[in-house]
Amino acid sequence: MNRARRIRQLVVAITVVVLLAPCVLRAQSGSLLFVSNEIGRSLTIVNPATRSVVATIPLGERARGIRSSPDGKLVYVALSDDIPMRETAGDRIAVVDVATRKVIARFRAGSDPEQFAVSPSGRFLYTSNEDAGTASATDIRTGKVIATMVVGIEPEGVGVSPDGRWVYVTAETSNSVSVIDTRTNKVVANFLVDARPRAVAFSPDGTRAYVTAEIGGTLSIVDARKHEVLGSVELERGQAKPVGVVVSPDGRTVYVANGRGNTVSIVDAKSASVIATIPVGHRPWGIALSRDAKTLYTADGLSDQVSVIDVGARRVVGTIKVGARPWGVALVE
Amino acid sequence: MPMITRREFLRVAGVALATSRAGAGIPILNWAPARTLRLALLLPPADPSLASVASDWSAGAALALSETERAAQLFGQRISLSERRIDQNQKPEDVIARDHPSVIIGGASATECAALAQAAEAAGVLFLNLGSTDDALRRSDCRRHMFHVAASDAMIDSARRAASSANGPISIELWHPSLTRYGGAELNDRYADRFKRPMTSSAWAAWVAVKIAWETSLKARSVEPAALLSVLENDSTGFDGHKGTQLSFRAWDHQLRQPLYAVSNATGAGRVVAELPDVGRNNDQGMRELLDQFGDLAGSASCFARGAA
């Protein structure tokens, strides 16, 4: 073996190691739970297996909406500053590299970004701009806003259909949901839901969407092909303050974080009925479900903790102390 | 008990099929022919003591108009608001005859409210009382077409008693610019950004009155006062006023159920020392039942209790 060949082999070997390192790191650490801390202005990274904090990343601004990329390599966090009504340098989406646990980019997504959704292709990010009454579409590859759409008043929750065709944006003051066709990036429909809609999640087959209404105390069930409300489920006699929502991988069960109701409701999608209510910490907003649908996580905002819920046992089996005023959770598996 | 609710209304109101464009570039999906909900804000006679109230009403209503105009466009509807000063030369009847409102908004005193209510009832339109706390308007002088956004003296007394543990003098308010929860911060920001002053109780009252009128029209799918009245009197009708719980009108006195705020001025700046009742607290009782313990109780008031029986 001559010297040049050995060098080539060495280069290939080093390249392979470098390329695979993130995978190895992931395999070693397993799943990771990312928690945005609104008041703490940081991101807490939790190892769900040990229920321990493995890192805290300062972000410098209010951290709220949080989602992972479809391939699980990146986590996006919505940041906003304390200057209302206008976009400033503090209003950004931070991009966190899961492998290195570092912020690798910050890009614009309109003013005061709060919630957003990532397209299934991983290429586009759709953001609600609360004080501007708009939604923005950002091309993640270039980090540029490619479309701004007028939606309802005080837009908040954003969800994208599994096929990437539709984006739903809830609006808290107009009690409406705007439907964006991602082929044209235009609003093509609006429909009413109950008072103060906060979040939306699609079923995995894309036939249904579920919208929480914080003041209405309900979960609206939407025909996501016709963009039409089928009915609503009253949570805790209307006393719940539903915010975060997630659907099980089989589409049969919907989990709702009830905010200042301090509970999680488990809703059977088919019968549109509540089958269990689980007490958690104070003011759970963000909610995430493991891929095997066995474990739920809630960001308990006023308890500065994440609750870990055994779905089968329907009870909290652990809590994890995180930063100040946790807002959302994203699970990377 | 979990249940399917409002299915029929939401099914009908939620349908969005047409694809025409109108308004300010927002694609419209009409569920009904375009209608204009006409509102009239009636300001009190020029009086230095009422100048700030009139100014705050005007600003609160203007903010709500901007917001509801946009919301109306989403559903292919329109809303308009006229603003008139009531005085010797311009009676409420004149404004109603000229502007054809479905709802009039105003009322700074009991006398003014009585005149507005009488004019509204004679014309078959609705009246939302923004400013008078007078109990008689909710009791012996109540009228079916009159609804009260302003808290009654009886409610304020209840709130004051509930806040009796607070140190020093307090005032009972409908709103305060320091409120942040349930969208309070965003509402305060929107108002302050536009008018360069804090949102007062008077401004909030006018803001929520316009919002209530619009949402009532949306729920009724009509601008006809009789249809609006039916929705306002429906026991299941609720509104969001950024107070953390649904607001609704009591059947027995047409008083808006709403949390109130005890504000201490001990430090000069004004600070909310109590929310009455405490919306954030977990209660075995429903929030609606708690709200109904403030002011005249069900069955204790006069005309509507009898009328509903």
Side-chain angles (χ1 to χ4, degrees):
Chain A
M1 190 181 292
N2 62 32
R3 180 184 170 88
R5 191 173 171 190
R6 279 207 305 276
I7 289 174
R8 274 204 305 276
Q9 283 179 336
L10 188 60
V11 168
V12 169
I14 290 170
T15 305
V16 167
V17 167
V18 168
L19 287 175
L20 289 181
C23 302
V24 173
L25 281 173
R26 285 277 302 287
Q28 285 174 344
S29 60
S31 302
L32 289 174
L33 185 71
F34 293 79
V35 186
S36 59
N37 302 305
E38 182 175 6
I39 300 300
R41 296 170 184 251
S42 62
L43 182 70
T44 304
I45 306 177
V46 172
N47 180 343
T50 59
R51 293 177 196 160
S52 58
V53 173
V54 297
T56 300
I57 302 175
L59 295 169
E61 304 290 351
R62 295 167 65 204
R64 294 189 288 178
I66 181 167
R67 303 264 190 171
S68 63
S69 62
D71 62 9
K73 290 181 178 174
L74 303 172
V75 167
Y76 303 99
V77 188
L79 303 179
S80 50
D81 56 25
D82 297 316
I83 304 168
M85 309 305 292
R86 55 190 59 86
E87 182 179 353
T88 65
D91 295 331
R92 291 290 184 269
I93 300 289
V95 185
V96 178
D97 182 73
V98 170
T100 62
R101 300 170 187 171
K102 291 190 184 312
V103 177
I104 57 171
R106 291 178 189 237
F107 55 75
R108 289 179 57 185
S111 78
D112 199 22
E114 180 164 355
Q115 290 201 47
F116 60 87
V118 183
S119 67
S121 68
R123 183 168 170 194
F124 299 106
L125 197 137
Y126 301 93
T127 313
S128 62
N129 307 118
E130 190 172 61
D131 51 23
T134 58
S136 301
T138 303
D139 185 333
I140 291 174
R141 289 193 303 197
T142 63
K144 294 195 183 312
V145 175
I146 58 168
T148 301
M149 295 139 284
V150 176
V151 293
I153 315 298
E154 221 187 320
E156 170 91 15
V158 187
V160 59
S161 62
D163 64 2
R165 175 75 189 276
W166 310 109
V167 170
Y168 281 11
V169 183
T170 73
E172 294 173 341
T173 297
S174 50
N175 305 333
S176 59
V177 175
S178 294
V179 181
I180 295 168
D181 184 344
T182 60
R183 290 183 183 175
T184 56
N185 278 335
K186 291 190 185 307
V187 175
V188 295
N190 296 282
F191 58 86
L192 281 176
V193 288
D194 289 326
R196 201 163 178 75
R198 294 297 301 266
V200 55
F202 283 83
S203 63
D205 66 3
T207 60
R208 294 281 182 272
Y210 300 91
V211 181
T212 55
E214 186 180 22
I215 297 302
T218 60
L219 177 73
S220 290
I221 302 174
V222 181
D223 182 328
R225 299 205 188 287
K226 297 179 179 174
H227 313 307
E228 175 183 338
V229 174
L230 298 170
S232 62
V233 183
E234 194 174 62
L235 303 173
E236 302 215 29
R237 299 177 299 124
Q239 298 300 304
K241 304 288 182 195
V243 186
V245 57
V246 64
V247 186
S248 65
D250 64 8
R252 292 181 179 174
T253 314
V254 185
Y255 302 92
V256 182
N258 285 326
R260 291 178 191 273
N262 304 332
T263 56
V264 166
S265 292
I266 303 180
V267 177
D268 178 68
K270 192 172 182 183
S271 64
S273 60
V274 177
I275 54 177
T277 302
I278 304 168
V280 294
H282 289 142
R283 207 208 67 181
W285 273 8
I287 187 167
L289 180 66
S290 63
R291 196 176 294 153
D292 63 10
K294 290 183 177 174
T295 312
L296 270 174
Y297 302 92
T298 57
D300 302 340
L302 299 183
S303 300
D304 294 347
Q305 69 179 28
V306 166
S307 285
V308 183
I309 299 162
D310 181 325
V311 173
R314 294 178 183 172
R315 66 185 179 88
V316 172
V317 292
T319 58
I320 304 158
K321 217 65 183 166
V322 293
R325 202 70 65 84
W327 195 101
V329 283
L331 190 61
V332 175
E333 297 180 279
Chain B
M1 168 83 71
M3 55 186 288
I4 298 286
T5 59
R6 297 174 57 193
R7 177 186 292 271
E8 179 59 19
F9 164 69
L10 288 169
R11 186 184 69 76
V12 174
V15 172
L17 294 174
T19 54
S20 62
R21 286 180 72 86
I26 303 172
I28 300 303
L29 302 166
N30 295 321
W31 45 258
R35 304 181 180 94
T36 300
L37 174 68
R38 295 178 201 282
L39 310 177
L41 175 63
L42 304 186
L43 300 176
D47 179 338
S49 69
L50 292 172
S52 67
V53 168
S55 171
D56 288 351
W57 282 359
S58 180
L63 180 66
L65 180 68
S66 306
E67 296 177 356
T68 51
E69 274 177 334
R70 277 197 41 209
Q73 286 171 12
L74 297 177
F75 296 96
Q77 307 299 304
R78 291 187 292 268
I79 182 168
S80 71
L81 175 76
S82 65
E83 187 176 305
R84 312 283 182 194
R85 186 173 297 283
I86 298 302
D87 54 28
Q88 288 180 335
N89 301 319
Q90 188 164 240
K91 307 290 183 202
E93 294 82 353
D94 303 331
V95 175
I96 293 171
R98 183 177 359 160
D99 296 342
H100 306 293
S102 297
V103 183
I104 60 173
I105 297 168
S109 67
T111 309
E112 205 176 300
C113 279
L116 292 175
Q118 187 173 12
E121 196 149 288
V125 306
L126 305 185
F127 164 49
L128 298 181
N129 163 24
L130 297 185
S132 176
T133 59
D134 187 62
D135 284 330
L137 295 170
R138 286 87 171 163
R139 297 174 184 167
S140 55
D141 297 342
C142 67
R143 288 178 183 268
R144 192 175 173 209
H145 286 64
M146 176 165 59
F147 293 80
H148 307 282
V149 172
S152 66
D153 285 329
M155 279 175 78
I156 291 169
D157 284 348
S158 299
R160 201 176 287 283
R161 279 195 298 276
S164 58
S165 60
N167 292 324
I170 56 166
S171 60
I172 301 297
E173 300 287 342
L174 302 183
W175 187 255
H176 196 265
S178 69
L179 293 171
T180 58
R181 295 190 298 172
Y182 306 107
E186 289 78 6
L187 177 60
N188 278 321
D189 284 345
R190 293 200 297 273
Y191 185 89
D193 188 69
R194 178 161 166 179
F195 300 105
K196 312 302 177 199
R197 60 182 195 263
M199 190 174 213
T200 61
S201 291
S202 296
W204 180 85
W207 175 83
V208 85
V210 171
K211 187 171 190 278
I212 284 172
W214 154 247
E215 290 183 9
T216 302
S217 173
L218 194 60
K219 290 172 199 286
R221 298 165 60 211
S222 171
V223 297
E224 295 304 320
L228 305 187
L229 181 60
S230 175
V231 169
L232 285 179
E233 288 186 335
N234 187 321
D235 201 44
S236 67
T237 299
F239 306 96
D240 178 22
H242 295 229
K243 291 191 169 194
T245 192
Q246 290 217 52
L247 314 181
S248 55
F249 288 103
R250 293 171 173 169
W252 60 91
D253 59 1
H254 282 190
Q255 172 64 53
L256 188 68
R257 289 184 183 91
Q258 58 179 317
L260 301 173
Y261 306 97
V263 175
S264 166
N265 288 306
T267 59
R271 187 170 60 90
V272 174
V273 293
E275 181 184 34
L276 308 157
D278 183 353
V279 173
R281 200 181 64 190
N282 277 330
N283 298 294
D284 292 333
Q285 268 182 308
M287 183 50 59
R288 189 177 168 120
E289 287 71 31
L290 281 176
L291 291 170
D292 282 349
Q293 292 171 11
F294 285 72
D296 290 339
L297 303 177
S300 68
S302 52
C303 48
F304 297 115
R306 286 201 302 272

